[in-house]
Amino acid sequence: MTEVRPDDKCAKRLFLIDGSALAYRSHFAFIRSPLSNAAGLSTGGIFGFTRALKQILEEADPSHIALVFDHKGPTFRHELYKEYKATRQKMPEDMREQIPWMKKVTEGFRVPLIELPGFEADDVIGTLARRADAEGFEVMIVSGDKDFMQLVTDRTKLYNIAKANVAVEIVGEEAVHAKFGVKPDLVVDVLALMGDSSDNVPGVSGVGEKTAIKLINEWGSFDEVFAHVDEIKRKKLRETLTLERDIAELSRRLVTIDTDVKLDHDVASLARQEPDTDALKEIYREMEFGRLLAELSQGGAAADPVEKDYRIVRSEAELEALIDLLKTAGTFVLDLETTGLDKIDARIVGFSFSTATGEGHYVAMNLDPPLLPGDWEGSALVERLRPLLESDKFEKCGQNIKYDASVLVNHDIELGNIAFDTMIASYLLDPGSREHSLDGLSLRHFDYKKIKTEEIIGSKGDDQLTMNLVPIETVGEYACEDADFTWRLYELFAPRLLANELRELFDTIEMPLVPVLLRMERQGVRLKKEVLAELGKEIQAELATLEDQIYELAGREFNIASPKQLSEILFVELKLHEKLGVKPKKTKTGFSTNHEVLDSMQGHDLPRRILEYRGLAKLLNTYVLTLPKLVHPSTGRIHTQFNQAVAATGRLSSSDPNLQNIPIRTPRGRRIREAFVPSNDGWVLLAADYSQIELRIMAHVSQDPQLIAAFERGADIHRETAARVFEVEPEAVDSEMRSRAKSINFGIMYGMGSQRLARETGMSVAEATAFIDRYFDSFPTVRNFLESCKERARQDGYVTTLFGRRRPIPDIQSSNGRLRSAAENMAVNTPIQGSAADLIKLAMIEIDAYIRRKGLKGRMILQVHDELVFDLPRDELELFRDKMPALMASATKLRVPLVVETGYGENWSEAH
């Protein structure tokens, strides 16, 4: 079969799309890299379906088109044969949930959507194809299904978009003959004899494709085969055909596409129409298809009904007028254009401001001649703007304003009254979304495609420009657009925060935290590179030893990092799964060698050594070799970024580098922390850590009297839990009993079931089930609370933290058990983990204010979940050890006391 494209312009070209086939193809195309939107809906199939339909409309340019879905109910074929399609697997649940959206997409493109009770899509397509063919249409059937080959004529062809590495494959009469060895009108005869296992069409026993083709070619047709059955030389085949003629006749009726179905649609009614772009935009926004949305939104007047007034400030008088405007407004958007993205070294190229929709003002530092007389480097301009920027009297708004505020520090300006960040507002309103960028939000909320940064400075690489080298007129348009659309988002989000009861959380936690995180990021943490260099040598030596041991155990050398080669060794050559009695997991490329599989095979040294090797290699590459490269050349420190708009629970995340995931339960993980040291000689690091904060919040929200009493007494909560569950006195609890109680105490908040508990503790599943039952019998109020969280999520569609943070739980009502179970776990976990996240943020705000108020030299430098790390001189150690835990413990009032543990030392490992 060759690739052909119907490139010639044809006034009468009908495309008939097999909707069910396209839906399956689209779903499985994304099965290994699934997509989902903020609401938790799987969207990969919808995306693939949309792209395919769009491609057909744009590239094939049909004059007429229809998309046909199979109807849910039984068809006439089921009446003929009850077992028809009985062996087909049930449609995957996550695909079933996407079908209604695929139909909405079809309607959005204004493509006629046809479903006919009692008939399959094949019959509807066959009927329309025959009618159109007779009317002189070129007909393209969009499907890779071989059954459609019986419909092929000189004007009707198959349009197969499912072939890998081939954009489109057109299947005509010659291609059908190459596939079946017969002309299209005899395809049914071949199919009737050979049957079809995918549809459970029986065919004739023992007759495969080759035999069926040979029989049809030898005798000319299905009927002629049976007319001359006595002349067939092979005795077994002759007897089978004689005995199973009725089955063959039934099979022929089952595989024959009905081309004379009564339809309400005629071919003329399938004329192509212009898409409903408003409907498509709404779908793309809800599905979070940013690229598709961008293709529909081209910017300019069509997408932006408001006239834009973007101005470059070119005189001192205009600058003074702008400053007066900003002061009069009282609230304004600020956005900076800079020489780069490095917040420690970047310099300002220009300022943009907005106080109203459609308005933008750009103040360039590099205007020629200068904006202020004699001001060739912009320092006078910075001084003129300083009072406005530093004043607490005026509210500053921005998009990711922490970055702009950090760059201002490079010019010795501390931005005052940081009041509104549109990125953070978007995150609070839609915490499950992955898209909170200005470009993405402008597309989503205003159908506006902004100027991309790459369009004016080029793509990343050696030839990429910096903003100061781009013409001021170009930068001005871009900068004013940023400020304008940030203002639009501010006006959109501010009332929404109020309506969703999120404004207090925004004003008392998230926005006050911005300058706190800014100071922590700029302070950074000092890294002792020689500690990691020594550790790197040790790990590399151990990896080399492990490599030799692995080769010896495997019997030969191979690429240890290759899952495919490892799979070959474990399951084909050594057959370890058979020796260990382990059932291997099959993937498309072979047997899985993931951590879970290898962990189940630790009865043999080879999988155990592989796990050790992987763990060490990850430690080496992720931290030991990488962290020294991230030390900033200007400061000699690592400056991680703390992100407020990532984790749906409200937790802060850390990036570039991620310092929250350094393993601390292994000796080498702790060695990595040894490399983090105080900024000055004679200083120390102090770590302050909330003790069992999530369990204490659990006691508070569940109001469980047993948990509350235990915390009030200062008891060992895990020992107390073990005593109640095992029905012994606390002093009789041994280490194993306490360990199991600890697993369930923490696991219960994450929806831990009996299988996971069994895995973590070594219990059998039955023992773990009984253990969980005894736990809830001992703490019935906890069970009631967990169930109430799920029930509230079912009723409201979201859950909240103690401080009002909301997290939507869309899958709580899903018919997909896996998705529903995950949603229930989120409904239980979020109120606890999210409350803990909010609590430590409050503590950070109070601590930062205390340090600044007292003029202390010590600084808060890191936050890792429930832990805060401080860098301070020894003469402030006693004050910090006394005051920081007190401030953390008093951040909010719970029914149980908040306890904070501290430690200090000459490196992070010693401190915690």
Side-chain angles (χ1 to χ4, degrees):
M1 298 183 190
T2 57
E3 180 189 346
V4 184
R5 283 188 176 276
D7 289 328
D8 57 304
K9 286 288 180 184
C10 179
K12 297 172 69 174
R13 173 180 289 140
L14 170 64
F15 267 66
L16 296 168
I17 304 171
D18 182 351
S20 299
L22 183 58
Y24 269 97
R25 171 190 175 271
S26 302
H27 171 72
F28 284 103
F30 285 88
I31 201 71
R32 298 186 70 180
S33 52
L35 302 179
S36 62
N37 67 357
L41 174 71
S42 294
T43 59
I46 305 165
F47 180 76
F49 184 94
T50 305
R51 293 293 290 186
L53 188 53
K54 184 172 179 287
Q55 176 188 331
I56 290 167
L57 288 167
E58 292 177 355
E59 296 184 11
D61 193 29
S63 63
H64 294 67
I65 189 168
L67 190 141
V68 188
F69 266 104
D70 288 325
H71 194 270
K72 288 182 180 179
T75 68
F76 72 90
R77 292 182 178 85
H78 293 93
E79 295 175 9
L80 289 171
Y81 184 53
K82 283 195 294 186
E83 300 304 311
Y84 179 66
K85 292 192 175 180
T87 56
R88 280 213 173 173
Q89 288 189 345
K90 189 178 179 181
M91 182 184 289
E93 189 59 42
D94 54 344
M95 177 184 169
R96 186 181 302 281
E97 293 175 345
Q98 297 181 69
I99 296 294
W101 284 100
M102 294 178 186
K103 292 179 178 178
K104 286 183 181 180
V105 167
T106 305
E107 292 165 358
F109 278 109
R110 288 203 176 104
V111 170
L113 177 63
I114 306 173
E115 293 178 282
L116 190 65
F119 293 90
E120 293 183 61
D122 298 25
D123 304 310
V124 176
I125 289 171
T127 298
L128 289 170
R130 284 288 180 258
R131 290 181 188 176
D133 193 305
E135 294 175 25
F137 275 77
E138 177 185 28
V139 180
M140 291 288 171
I141 298 172
V142 182
S143 179
D145 189 344
K146 64 182 183 300
D147 290 358
F148 282 118
M149 290 184 176
Q150 63 188 274
L151 301 177
V152 170
T153 67
D154 60 339
R155 279 199 291 261
T156 299
K157 299 178 175 65
L158 305 190
Y159 189 92
N160 185 7
I161 56 177
K163 282 279 185 179
N165 303 319
V166 177
V168 174
E169 182 184 47
I170 307 298
V171 179
E173 292 176 310
E174 289 184 7
V176 173
H177 193 277
K179 164 67 178 170
F180 277 108
V182 297
K183 293 181 178 180
D185 59 351
L186 291 174
V187 166
V188 166
D189 296 32
V190 172
L191 292 173
L193 293 175
M194 63 183 277
D196 186 345
S197 59
S198 65
D199 288 343
N200 203 34
V201 175
V204 177
S205 301
V207 174
E209 184 175 345
K210 289 183 180 179
T211 302
I213 292 170
K214 184 178 180 182
L215 285 170
I216 298 301
N217 278 325
E218 186 175 353
W219 300 105
S221 71
F222 178 94
D223 290 328
E224 288 301 312
V225 167
F226 285 98
H228 297 275
V229 70
D230 293 337
E231 300 173 41
I232 292 174
K233 294 178 181 178
R234 287 168 53 193
K235 180 182 177 183
K236 178 67 173 174
L237 178 59
R238 182 173 68 248
E239 290 174 350
T240 302
L241 287 167
T242 302
L243 288 170
E244 297 187 12
R245 176 160 188 171
D246 289 347
I247 296 174
E249 293 281 6
L250 171 65
S251 298
R252 179 160 64 166
R253 293 182 68 187
L254 294 174
V255 299
T256 300
I257 293 174
D258 189 342
T259 58
D260 194 25
V261 174
K262 290 182 180 180
L263 291 173
D264 293 335
H265 296 77
D266 56 19
V267 177
S269 71
L270 308 180
R272 180 177 174 181
Q273 301 178 60
E274 286 299 311
D276 182 346
T277 54
D278 288 340
L280 288 175
K281 284 178 180 179
E282 189 59 36
I283 293 168
Y284 295 167
R285 275 194 292 269
E286 191 155 353
M287 296 298 102
E288 298 174 15
F289 295 158
R291 190 179 302 171
L292 290 174
L293 187 57
E295 290 168 4
L296 278 179
S297 304
Q298 298 304 317
D304 180 15
V306 179
E307 185 176 345
K308 293 182 293 187
D309 182 12
Y310 293 170
R311 302 180 182 183
I312 296 175
V313 175
R314 296 188 179 274
S315 70
E316 188 172 0
E318 289 180 1
L319 176 63
E320 288 304 320
L322 172 60
I323 292 172
D324 288 342
L325 171 67
L326 298 175
K327 287 180 177 180
T328 301
T331 300
F332 59 84
V333 161
L334 163 70
D335 185 69
L336 301 181
E337 299 311 320
T338 64
T339 54
L341 295 178
D342 183 343
K343 58 182 177 280
I344 303 298
D345 280 348
R347 307 295 291 179
I348 299 172
V349 174
F351 303 80
S352 59
F353 301 93
S354 181
T355 61
T357 293
E359 171 205 289
H361 304 267
Y362 182 62
V363 182
M365 294 273 281
N366 56 340
L367 201 65
D368 188 11
L371 190 58
L372 298 178
D375 183 26
W376 288 103
E377 294 184 354
S379 57
L381 178 57
V382 169
E383 290 307 310
R384 187 70 62 90
L385 290 171
R386 180 186 297 277
L388 175 74
L389 297 175
E390 291 189 338
S391 173
D392 286 333
K393 197 174 164 186
F394 311 109
E395 293 183 334
K396 287 76 171 187
C397 307
Q399 165 76 15
N400 189 19
I401 199 168
K402 174 156 62 77
Y403 169 78
D404 301 274
S406 187
V407 176
L408 284 168
V409 173
N410 299 338
H411 294 259
D412 299 318
I413 290 178
E414 183 175 333
L415 188 62
N417 198 353
I418 300 173
F420 202 100
D421 190 318
T422 50
M423 178 183 72
I424 295 172
S426 171
Y427 160 73
L428 285 187
L429 290 163
D430 192 2
S433 175
R434 299 182 299 266
E435 181 56 87
H436 301 292
S437 70
L438 184 57
D439 286 5
L441 294 175
S442 299
L443 260 177
R444 180 177 180 183
H445 295 288
F446 307 117
D447 298 337
Y448 189 89
K449 184 179 180 183
K450 286 182 65 280
I451 302 167
K452 289 189 175 296
T453 310
E454 292 79 10
E455 292 174 21
I456 59 176
I457 64 172
S459 301
K460 287 182 179 179
D462 294 337
D463 57 349
Q464 187 180 48
L465 299 175
T466 51
M467 280 291 181
N468 55 309
L469 299 178
V470 178
I472 286 174
E473 289 73 16
T474 303
V475 178
E477 175 74 13
Y478 169 83
C480 286
E481 187 182 71
D482 277 1
D484 174 19
F485 276 86
T486 300
W487 179 269
R488 296 182 195 218
L489 289 169
Y490 160 67
E491 288 196 318
L492 178 71
F493 290 154
R496 288 190 182 180
L497 289 171
L498 277 172
N500 287 276
E501 300 177 336
L502 290 166
R503 190 63 201 239
E504 184 178 357
L505 174 72
F506 182 78
D507 288 337
T508 61
I509 295 182
E510 293 297 349
M511 290 313 301
L513 188 66
V514 171
V516 177
L517 297 178
L518 161 64
R519 285 186 276 275
M520 290 171 64
E521 289 176 358
R522 292 195 66 89
Q523 183 69 23
V525 57
R526 186 177 159 207
L527 190 77
K528 202 169 184 178
K529 293 183 181 181
E530 51 267 35
V531 172
L532 294 181
E534 185 62 33
L535 181 57
K537 290 177 184 177
E538 291 178 21
I539 292 177
Q540 286 169 331
E542 188 163 346
L543 283 172
T545 301
L546 274 171
E547 196 172 83
D548 291 339
Q549 292 173 348
I550 288 167
Y551 292 155
E552 186 176 349
L553 289 164
R556 66 178 177 86
E557 292 189 7
F558 67 101
N559 181 357
I560 299 172
S562 166
K564 187 177 180 181
Q565 291 185 33
L566 177 59
S567 178
E568 181 78 15
I569 295 280
L570 295 178
F571 301 110
V572 179
E573 296 179 16
L574 300 180
K575 300 186 187 302
L576 288 189
H577 58 297
E578 294 178 4
K579 297 174 183 176
L580 296 170
V582 173
K583 188 176 181 181
K585 289 185 178 179
K586 194 85 162 98
T587 67
K588 284 188 176 180
T589 57
F591 291 112
S592 171
T593 60
N594 65 19
H595 186 279
E596 185 181 350
V597 170
L598 295 182
D599 192 48
S600 70
M601 299 173 67
Q602 287 204 59
H604 190 281
D605 279 347
L606 180 55
R608 188 163 59 249
R609 292 284 184 267
I610 294 288
L611 285 174
E612 289 178 32
Y613 185 92
R614 285 182 179 177
L616 282 174
K618 182 178 180 180
L619 207 61
L620 179 70
N621 295 315
T622 306
Y623 300 108
V624 178
L625 297 180
T626 303
L627 287 175
K629 298 174 185 175
L630 297 176
V631 172
H632 198 282
S634 299
T635 66
R637 301 179 192 176
I638 284 180
H639 300 269
T640 188
Q641 177 171 302
F642 292 104
N643 308 299
Q644 288 172 266
V646 174
T649 58
R651 272 188 167 185
L652 292 172
S653 72
S654 162
S655 58
D656 304 318
N658 182 354
L659 298 182
Q660 294 184 334
N661 280 355
I662 297 173
I664 59 170
R665 294 182 181 176
T666 62
R668 285 199 172 82
R670 290 190 290 274
R671 288 275 302 279
I672 292 173
R673 283 197 170 195
E674 288 179 14
F676 291 85
V677 297
S679 55
N680 299 293
D681 293 339
W683 285 39
V684 294
L685 294 185
L686 175 119
D689 190 14
Y690 278 116
S691 173
Q692 301 171 339
I693 183 62
E694 292 183 2
L695 283 174
R696 293 173 190 272
I697 290 173
M698 167 73 87
H700 174 82
V701 294
S702 69
Q703 301 181 52
D704 186 88
Q706 308 298 335
L707 285 177
I708 291 173
F711 279 123
E712 285 179 338
R713 292 196 312 272
D716 179 337
I717 193 65
H718 304 312
R719 183 174 296 278
E720 289 275 324
T721 299
R724 294 187 64 82
V725 172
F726 289 107
E727 298 179 333
V728 297
E729 292 299 317
E731 54 271 18
V733 172
D734 60 26
S735 59
E736 184 180 350
M737 293 161 71
R738 185 184 183 279
S739 176
R740 291 182 175 186
K742 183 177 180 180
S743 292
I744 194 65
N745 267 335
F746 286 113
I748 204 71
M749 294 177 288
Y750 295 87
M752 177 187 282
S754 54
Q755 289 190 336
R756 183 177 153 200
L757 180 61
R759 228 176 16 250
E760 291 192 4
T761 61
M763 288 188 274
S764 68
V765 174
E767 287 174 327
T769 301
F771 189 86
I772 291 174
D773 289 342
R774 292 199 304 273
Y775 176 90
F776 282 127
D777 288 342
S778 301
F779 301 103
T781 317
V782 172
R783 186 204 298 269
N784 295 340
F785 166 74
L786 299 180
E787 290 305 317
S788 72
C789 288
K790 299 174 191 176
E791 187 54 38
R792 281 198 300 271
R794 293 186 193 101
Q795 290 177 1
D796 301 334
Y798 63 87
V799 292
T800 59
T801 69
L802 288 172
F803 302 91
R805 184 182 303 277
R806 289 188 182 188
R807 182 180 188 180
I809 311 287
D811 287 328
I812 197 74
Q813 304 281 16
S814 175
S815 56
N816 183 319
R818 179 179 58 82
L819 293 176
R820 188 174 62 254
S821 177
E824 289 175 349
N825 289 347
M826 289 178 197
V828 167
N829 172 244
T830 298
I832 299 168
Q833 189 180 99
S835 294
D838 292 338
L839 175 59
I840 199 166
K841 288 178 179 179
L842 279 172
M844 293 167 72
I845 295 165
E846 290 299 318
I847 288 170
D848 179 78
Y850 177 83
I851 290 173
R852 287 164 63 80
R853 188 167 63 249
K854 293 293 184 180
L856 300 176
K857 295 179 182 177
R859 293 289 181 265
M860 183 164 50
I861 58 171
L862 291 175
Q863 187 265 8
V864 181
H865 306 315
D866 305 327
E867 174 189 2
L868 297 177
V869 180
F870 302 88
D871 184 4
L872 59 144
R874 279 192 176 270
D875 60 12
E876 291 182 354
L877 178 58
E878 289 308 312
L879 174 63
F880 268 78
R881 288 181 69 187
D882 176 58
K883 196 62 185 177
M884 297 309 120
L887 288 170
M888 290 172 72
S890 63
T892 196
K893 181 71 175 172
L894 299 181
R895 287 183 173 89
V896 297
L898 287 174
V899 175
V900 178
E901 297 174 345
T902 63
Y904 68 94
E906 295 185 357
N907 59 62
W908 190 6
S909 182
E910 285 184 10
H912 184 251

